[in-house]
PDB file of all heavy atoms in Angstrom:
ATOM      1  N   LEU A 255      93.615  87.816 124.995  1.00 87.00           N
ATOM      2  CA  LEU A 255      94.064  86.472 124.346  1.00 87.00           C
ATOM      3  C   LEU A 255      92.968  86.095 123.219  1.00 87.00           C
ATOM      4  O   LEU A 255      93.315  85.565 122.271  1.00 87.00           O
ATOM      5  CB  LEU A 255      94.033  85.327 125.403  1.00 87.00           C
ATOM      6  CG  LEU A 255      95.282  85.324 126.336  1.00 87.00           C
ATOM      7  CD1 LEU A 255      95.144  84.327 127.474  1.00 87.00           C
ATOM      8  CD2 LEU A 255      96.469  85.116 125.614  1.00 87.00           C
ATOM      9  N   THR A 256      91.755  86.284 123.454  1.00 85.00           N
ATOM     10  CA  THR A 256      90.707  86.110 122.436  1.00 85.00           C
ATOM     11  C   THR A 256      91.032  87.031 121.256  1.00 85.00           C
ATOM     12  O   THR A 256      90.887  86.461 120.180  1.00 85.00           O
ATOM     13  CB  THR A 256      89.338  86.450 122.953  1.00 85.00           C
ATOM     14  OG1 THR A 256      89.109  85.711 124.213  1.00 85.00           O
ATOM     15  CG2 THR A 256      88.317  86.048 121.986  1.00 85.00           C
ATOM     16  N   TYR A 257      91.395  88.209 121.436  1.00 85.00           N
ATOM     17  CA  TYR A 257      91.839  89.063 120.321  1.00 85.00           C
ATOM     18  C   TYR A 257      93.037  88.654 119.618  1.00 85.00           C
ATOM     19  O   TYR A 257      93.034  88.620 118.376  1.00 85.00           O
ATOM     20  CB  TYR A 257      92.029  90.473 120.831  1.00 85.00           C
ATOM     21  CG  TYR A 257      92.555  91.545 119.867  1.00 85.00           C
ATOM     22  CD1 TYR A 257      91.681  92.050 118.880  1.00 85.00           C
ATOM     23  CD2 TYR A 257      93.803  91.949 119.864  1.00 85.00           C
ATOM     24  CE1 TYR A 257      92.187  93.031 117.962  1.00 85.00           C
ATOM     25  CE2 TYR A 257      94.341  92.851 118.898  1.00 85.00           C
ATOM     26  CZ  TYR A 257      93.403  93.307 117.960  1.00 85.00           C
ATOM     27  OH  TYR A 257      93.971  94.297 117.110  1.00 85.00           O
ATOM     28  N   GLN A 258      94.069  88.251 120.398  1.00 83.00           N
ATOM     29  CA  GLN A 258      95.319  87.783 119.739  1.00 83.00           C
ATOM     30  C   GLN A 258      95.216  86.401 119.030  1.00 83.00           C
ATOM     31  O   GLN A 258      95.961  86.362 117.994  1.00 83.00           O
ATOM     32  CB  GLN A 258      96.433  87.599 120.786  1.00 83.00           C
ATOM     33  CG  GLN A 258      96.811  89.012 121.497  1.00 83.00           C
ATOM     34  CD  GLN A 258      97.593  88.839 122.840  1.00 83.00           C
ATOM     35  OE1 GLN A 258      98.093  87.666 123.014  1.00 83.00           O
ATOM     36  NE2 GLN A 258      97.870  89.833 123.630  1.00 83.00           N
ATOM     37  N   ARG A 259      94.364  85.711 119.458  1.00 81.00           N
ATOM     38  CA  ARG A 259      94.285  84.363 118.844  1.00 81.00           C
ATOM     39  C   ARG A 259      94.127  84.437 117.333  1.00 81.00           C
ATOM     40  O   ARG A 259      94.570  83.544 116.481  1.00 81.00           O
ATOM     41  CB  ARG A 259      93.107  83.525 119.438  1.00 81.00           C
ATOM     42  CG  ARG A 259      93.070  82.061 119.004  1.00 81.00           C
ATOM     43  CD  ARG A 259      91.908  81.413 119.591  1.00 81.00           C
ATOM     44  NE  ARG A 259      91.985  79.936 119.279  1.00 81.00           N
ATOM     45  CZ  ARG A 259      91.507  79.366 118.198  1.00 81.00           C
ATOM     46  NH1 ARG A 259      91.016  80.255 117.203  1.00 81.00           N
ATOM     47  NH2 ARG A 259      91.612  78.190 117.949  1.00 81.00           N
ATOM     48  N   SER A 260      93.245  85.342 116.853  1.00 74.00           N
ATOM     49  CA  SER A 260      92.915  85.496 115.464  1.00 74.00           C
ATOM     50  C   SER A 260      93.954  86.148 114.727  1.00 74.00           C
ATOM     51  O   SER A 260      93.988  86.268 113.429  1.00 74.00           O
ATOM     52  CB  SER A 260      91.772  86.300 115.132  1.00 74.00           C
ATOM     53  OG  SER A 260      91.789  87.562 115.695  1.00 74.00           O
ATOM     54  N   ARG A 261      95.095  86.587 115.355  1.00 76.00           N
ATOM     55  CA  ARG A 261      96.160  87.399 114.796  1.00 76.00           C
ATOM     56  C   ARG A 261      97.467  86.689 114.776  1.00 76.00           C
ATOM     57  O   ARG A 261      98.457  87.348 114.492  1.00 76.00           O
ATOM     58  CB  ARG A 261      96.261  88.791 115.419  1.00 76.00           C
ATOM     59  CG  ARG A 261      95.173  89.776 114.861  1.00 76.00           C
ATOM     60  CD  ARG A 261      94.949  90.877 115.664  1.00 76.00           C
ATOM     61  NE  ARG A 261      94.224  91.947 115.006  1.00 76.00           N
ATOM     62  CZ  ARG A 261      92.892  91.946 114.729  1.00 76.00           C
ATOM     63  NH1 ARG A 261      92.183  90.848 115.113  1.00 76.00           N
ATOM     64  NH2 ARG A 261      92.234  92.941 114.036  1.00 76.00           N
ATOM     65  N   LEU A 262      97.517  85.432 115.149  1.00 68.00           N
ATOM     66  CA  LEU A 262      98.641  84.722 115.165  1.00 68.00           C
ATOM     67  C   LEU A 262      99.364  84.694 113.903  1.00 68.00           C
ATOM     68  O   LEU A 262     100.627  84.716 113.855  1.00 68.00           O
ATOM     69  CB  LEU A 262      98.402  83.255 115.704  1.00 68.00           C
ATOM     70  CG  LEU A 262      98.146  83.108 117.177  1.00 68.00           C
ATOM     71  CD1 LEU A 262      97.968  81.677 117.530  1.00 68.00           C
ATOM     72  CD2 LEU A 262      99.263  83.616 117.962  1.00 68.00           C
ATOM     73  N   VAL A 263      98.725  84.704 112.765  1.00 54.00           N
ATOM     74  CA  VAL A 263      99.288  84.577 111.454  1.00 54.00           C
ATOM     75  C   VAL A 263     100.331  85.624 111.155  1.00 54.00           C
ATOM     76  O   VAL A 263     101.268  85.471 110.437  1.00 54.00           O
ATOM     77  CB  VAL A 263      98.253  84.490 110.381  1.00 54.00           C
ATOM     78  CG1 VAL A 263      97.403  85.736 110.345  1.00 54.00           C
ATOM     79  CG2 VAL A 263      98.936  84.125 109.043  1.00 54.00           C
ATOM     80  N   ARG A 264     100.089  86.782 111.861  1.00 45.00           N
ATOM     81  CA  ARG A 264     100.974  87.991 111.695  1.00 45.00           C
ATOM     82  C   ARG A 264     102.426  87.680 112.229  1.00 45.00           C
ATOM     83  O   ARG A 264     103.287  88.239 111.813  1.00 45.00           O
ATOM     84  CB  ARG A 264     100.422  89.173 112.318  1.00 45.00           C
ATOM     85  CG  ARG A 264      99.066  89.646 111.754  1.00 45.00           C
ATOM     86  CD  ARG A 264      98.582  90.802 112.505  1.00 45.00           C
ATOM     87  NE  ARG A 264      99.497  91.893 112.761  1.00 45.00           N
ATOM     88  CZ  ARG A 264     100.065  92.200 113.860  1.00 45.00           C
ATOM     89  NH1 ARG A 264      99.790  91.535 115.034  1.00 45.00           N
ATOM     90  NH2 ARG A 264     100.976  93.161 113.894  1.00 45.00           N
ATOM     91  N   SER A 265     102.393  86.887 113.247  1.00 46.00           N
ATOM     92  CA  SER A 265     103.722  86.699 113.916  1.00 46.00           C
ATOM     93  C   SER A 265     104.611  85.608 113.192  1.00 46.00           C
ATOM     94  O   SER A 265     105.729  85.546 113.486  1.00 46.00           O
ATOM     95  CB  SER A 265     103.574  86.229 115.400  1.00 46.00           C
ATOM     96  OG  SER A 265     102.634  87.078 116.068  1.00 46.00           O
ATOM     97  N   TRP A 266     104.023  84.869 112.238  1.00 43.00           N
ATOM     98  CA  TRP A 266     104.835  83.830 111.721  1.00 43.00           C
ATOM     99  C   TRP A 266     104.992  83.929 110.168  1.00 43.00           C
ATOM    100  O   TRP A 266     105.244  82.967 109.537  1.00 43.00           O
ATOM    101  CB  TRP A 266     104.279  82.510 112.098  1.00 43.00           C
ATOM    102  CG  TRP A 266     104.178  82.396 113.566  1.00 43.00           C
ATOM    103  CD1 TRP A 266     103.120  82.521 114.391  1.00 43.00           C
ATOM    104  CD2 TRP A 266     105.334  82.172 114.372  1.00 43.00           C
ATOM    105  NE1 TRP A 266     103.585  82.345 115.749  1.00 43.00           N
ATOM    106  CE2 TRP A 266     104.838  82.106 115.863  1.00 43.00           C
ATOM    107  CE3 TRP A 266     106.664  81.995 114.068  1.00 43.00           C
ATOM    108  CZ2 TRP A 266     105.675  81.928 116.793  1.00 43.00           C
ATOM    109  CZ3 TRP A 266     107.495  81.735 115.394  1.00 43.00           C
ATOM    110  CH2 TRP A 266     107.009  81.759 116.510  1.00 43.00           C
ATOM    111  N   THR A 267     104.925  85.257 109.633  1.00 45.00           N
ATOM    112  CA  THR A 267     105.021  85.353 108.148  1.00 45.00           C
ATOM    113  C   THR A 267     106.447  85.053 107.668  1.00 45.00           C
ATOM    114  O   THR A 267     106.732  84.851 106.564  1.00 45.00           O
ATOM    115  CB  THR A 267     104.628  86.670 107.783  1.00 45.00           C
ATOM    116  OG1 THR A 267     105.286  87.712 108.534  1.00 45.00           O
ATOM    117  CG2 THR A 267     103.143  87.014 108.068  1.00 45.00           C
ATOM    118  N   HIS A 268     107.393  85.090 108.634  1.00 44.00           N
ATOM    119  CA  HIS A 268     108.806  84.860 108.286  1.00 44.00           C
ATOM    120  C   HIS A 268     109.109  83.425 108.045  1.00 44.00           C
ATOM    121  O   HIS A 268     110.097  83.097 107.647  1.00 44.00           O
ATOM    122  CB  HIS A 268     109.741  85.513 109.333  1.00 44.00           C
ATOM    123  CG  HIS A 268     109.552  84.832 110.673  1.00 44.00           C
ATOM    124  ND1 HIS A 268     108.522  84.956 111.465  1.00 44.00           N
ATOM    125  CD2 HIS A 268     110.316  83.891 111.296  1.00 44.00           C
ATOM    126  CE1 HIS A 268     108.635  84.357 112.577  1.00 44.00           C
ATOM    127  NE2 HIS A 268     109.826  83.520 112.513  1.00 44.00           N
ATOM    128  N   LEU A 269     108.236  82.482 108.527  1.00 44.00           N
ATOM    129  CA  LEU A 269     108.571  81.051 108.565  1.00 44.00           C
ATOM    130  C   LEU A 269     108.117  80.510 107.146  1.00 44.00           C
ATOM    131  O   LEU A 269     107.139  81.139 106.605  1.00 44.00           O
ATOM    132  CB  LEU A 269     107.824  80.380 109.623  1.00 44.00           C
ATOM    133  CG  LEU A 269     108.326  80.677 111.017  1.00 44.00           C
ATOM    134  CD1 LEU A 269     107.466  79.958 112.058  1.00 44.00           C
ATOM    135  CD2 LEU A 269     109.727  80.364 111.175  1.00 44.00           C
ATOM    136  N   GLU A 270     108.706  79.498 106.642  1.00 44.00           N
ATOM    137  CA  GLU A 270     108.266  78.992 105.381  1.00 44.00           C
ATOM    138  C   GLU A 270     106.867  78.418 105.429  1.00 44.00           C
ATOM    139  O   GLU A 270     106.500  77.799 106.418  1.00 44.00           O
ATOM    140  CB  GLU A 270     109.241  77.942 104.845  1.00 44.00           C
ATOM    141  CG  GLU A 270     109.735  76.864 105.889  1.00 44.00           C
ATOM    142  CD  GLU A 270     110.713  75.828 105.178  1.00 44.00           C
ATOM    143  OE1 GLU A 270     110.268  75.095 104.242  1.00 44.00           O
ATOM    144  OE2 GLU A 270     111.788  75.728 105.699  1.00 44.00           O
ATOM    145  N   ARG A 271     106.179  78.513 104.376  1.00 43.00           N
ATOM    146  CA  ARG A 271     104.787  78.099 104.318  1.00 43.00           C
ATOM    147  C   ARG A 271     104.559  76.993 103.252  1.00 43.00           C
ATOM    148  O   ARG A 271     103.361  76.604 103.065  1.00 43.00           O
ATOM    149  CB  ARG A 271     103.973  79.295 103.833  1.00 43.00           C
ATOM    150  CG  ARG A 271     104.263  80.669 104.578  1.00 43.00           C
ATOM    151  CD  ARG A 271     103.509  80.742 105.710  1.00 43.00           C
ATOM    152  NE  ARG A 271     102.107  80.700 105.666  1.00 43.00           N
ATOM    153  CZ  ARG A 271     101.275  80.817 106.641  1.00 43.00           C
ATOM    154  NH1 ARG A 271     101.749  80.959 107.808  1.00 43.00           N
ATOM    155  NH2 ARG A 271     100.042  80.724 106.476  1.00 43.00           N
ATOM    156  N   GLN A 272     105.617  76.567 102.724  1.00 41.00           N
ATOM    157  CA  GLN A 272     105.341  75.437 101.627  1.00 41.00           C
ATOM    158  C   GLN A 272     104.980  74.196 102.330  1.00 41.00           C
ATOM    159  O   GLN A 272     105.252  73.956 103.527  1.00 41.00           O
ATOM    160  CB  GLN A 272     106.594  75.263 100.729  1.00 41.00           C
ATOM    161  CG  GLN A 272     107.787  74.517 101.423  1.00 41.00           C
ATOM    162  CD  GLN A 272     108.704  75.477 102.007  1.00 41.00           C
ATOM    163  OE1 GLN A 272     108.412  76.651 102.272  1.00 41.00           O
ATOM    164  NE2 GLN A 272     109.885  75.028 102.090  1.00 41.00           N
ATOM    165  N   ARG A 273     104.361  73.309 101.497  1.00 40.00           N
ATOM    166  CA  ARG A 273     103.897  72.062 101.989  1.00 40.00           C
ATOM    167  C   ARG A 273     105.160  71.122 102.421  1.00 40.00           C
ATOM    168  O   ARG A 273     106.162  71.049 101.696  1.00 40.00           O
ATOM    169  CB  ARG A 273     103.147  71.335 100.902  1.00 40.00           C
ATOM    170  CG  ARG A 273     102.649  69.967 101.200  1.00 40.00           C
ATOM    171  CD  ARG A 273     101.685  69.437 100.112  1.00 40.00           C
ATOM    172  NE  ARG A 273     101.245  68.076 100.529  1.00 40.00           N
ATOM    173  CZ  ARG A 273     100.297  67.532  99.725  1.00 40.00           C
ATOM    174  NH1 ARG A 273      99.636  68.162  98.808  1.00 40.00           N
ATOM    175  NH2 ARG A 273     100.027  66.238  99.968  1.00 40.00           N
ATOM    176  N   GLY A 274     105.046  70.504 103.499  1.00 42.00           N
ATOM    177  CA  GLY A 274     106.121  69.570 103.984  1.00 42.00           C
ATOM    178  C   GLY A 274     105.988  68.118 103.492  1.00 42.00           C
ATOM    179  O   GLY A 274     104.911  67.818 102.840  1.00 42.00           O
ATOM    180  N   GLY A 275     106.842  67.237 103.712  1.00 40.00           N
ATOM    181  CA  GLY A 275     106.718  65.949 103.353  1.00 40.00           C
ATOM    182  C   GLY A 275     106.200  65.119 104.436  1.00 40.00           C
ATOM    183  O   GLY A 275     105.775  65.547 105.422  1.00 40.00           O
ATOM    184  N   ALA A 276     106.394  63.741 104.119  1.00 42.00           N
ATOM    185  CA  ALA A 276     105.874  62.745 105.263  1.00 42.00           C
ATOM    186  C   ALA A 276     104.557  62.932 105.561  1.00 42.00           C
ATOM    187  O   ALA A 276     104.238  62.665 106.875  1.00 42.00           O
ATOM    188  CB  ALA A 276     106.862  62.757 106.320  1.00 42.00           C
ATOM    189  N   GLY A 277     103.663  63.338 104.713  1.00 41.00           N
ATOM    190  CA  GLY A 277     102.276  63.384 105.036  1.00 41.00           C
ATOM    191  C   GLY A 277     101.817  64.747 105.672  1.00 41.00           C
ATOM    192  O   GLY A 277     100.643  64.890 105.982  1.00 41.00           O
ATOM    193  N   PHE A 278     102.796  65.643 105.941  1.00 38.00           N
ATOM    194  CA  PHE A 278     102.364  66.900 106.609  1.00 38.00           C
ATOM    195  C   PHE A 278     101.837  67.770 105.638  1.00 38.00           C
ATOM    196  O   PHE A 278     102.497  68.033 104.593  1.00 38.00           O
ATOM    197  CB  PHE A 278     103.612  67.526 107.335  1.00 38.00           C
ATOM    198  CG  PHE A 278     103.978  66.712 108.605  1.00 38.00           C
ATOM    199  CD1 PHE A 278     105.052  65.902 108.352  1.00 38.00           C
ATOM    200  CD2 PHE A 278     103.325  66.729 109.723  1.00 38.00           C
ATOM    201  CE1 PHE A 278     105.597  65.127 109.557  1.00 38.00           C
ATOM    202  CE2 PHE A 278     103.708  65.937 110.830  1.00 38.00           C
ATOM    203  CZ  PHE A 278     104.841  65.174 110.700  1.00 38.00           C
TER     204      PHE A 278
END
């Protein structure tokens, strides 16, 4: 889990990364 924690970004490259609205 300690190893995986730093690699979470690899699992979500398919999701949009642009800035959201409403202060997010």
